[in-house]
Amino acid sequence: MPATSERIGPYLEQLLDDDDVKANVRRAVARAEQAVSRARNRKNAKEAVQDPGVRQRVQQSVVAARDAIVAIRRGPEIQRAKERRRQRRRRRNRLLGVAALAGGAFAAYKASTPPDKEHANV
């Protein structure tokens, strides 16, 4: 089993490098801070929970956090898909190269055999 750092490395890389992920995390934190400050301005917890502004900001924060998580998870999957495409392309190119070599070898063989020997087998 790979080390923890090897497993979470692609996810951390995605978190640090992807602008979409950064924007979603930033938006989630900002909305959560807005919800907390609005809830503190209420007289008690019951009013804070019932306040539609607080609930709306909490919902926006959760949606932004979910979008960030989806984008982070999607990153390594995209990398794996790119690697699979590269492998398929390499496989196809190898096959085409072998076919070209075989075709060239067959053409060279046909050119080197005398004409009378060619028709003797027919």
Side-chain angles (χ1 to χ4, degrees), residues 46-96:
K46 186 176 179 179
E47 276 187 27
V49 170
Q50 292 176 346
D51 182 15
V54 171
R55 291 184 7 213
Q56 179 185 12
R57 285 173 178 80
V58 168
Q59 181 183 9
Q60 290 171 345
S61 175
V62 169
V63 167
R66 185 195 65 208
D67 290 346
I69 290 169
V70 167
I72 288 171
R73 285 183 180 167
R74 189 182 62 225
E77 291 172 9
I78 291 172
Q79 292 295 78
R80 283 192 294 269
K82 285 181 182 177
E83 183 62 29
R84 283 193 298 264
R85 276 192 300 255
R86 265 190 238 118
Q87 287 175 350
R88 272 190 241 127
R89 198 175 311 130
R90 274 190 224 128
R91 204 175 304 139
R92 182 195 65 213
N93 289 343
R94 284 183 191 142
L95 181 62
L96 289 173

Side-chain angles (χ1 to χ4, degrees), residues 101-122:
L101 284 174
F106 180 73
Y109 170 75
K110 285 299 237 177
S112 68
T113 58
D116 60 331
K117 197 174 188 182
E118 272 183 35
H119 297 294
N121 291 337
V122 176

Side-chain angles (χ1 to χ4, degrees), residues 20-34 57 60-65 67-68:
D20 186 37
V21 173
K22 287 181 190 177
N24 284 328
V25 169
R26 205 175 297 122
R27 189 170 61 241
V29 170
R31 293 297 185 192
E33 289 173 349
Q34 291 171 0
R57 285 173 178 80
Q60 290 171 345
S61 175
V62 169
V63 167
D67 290 346

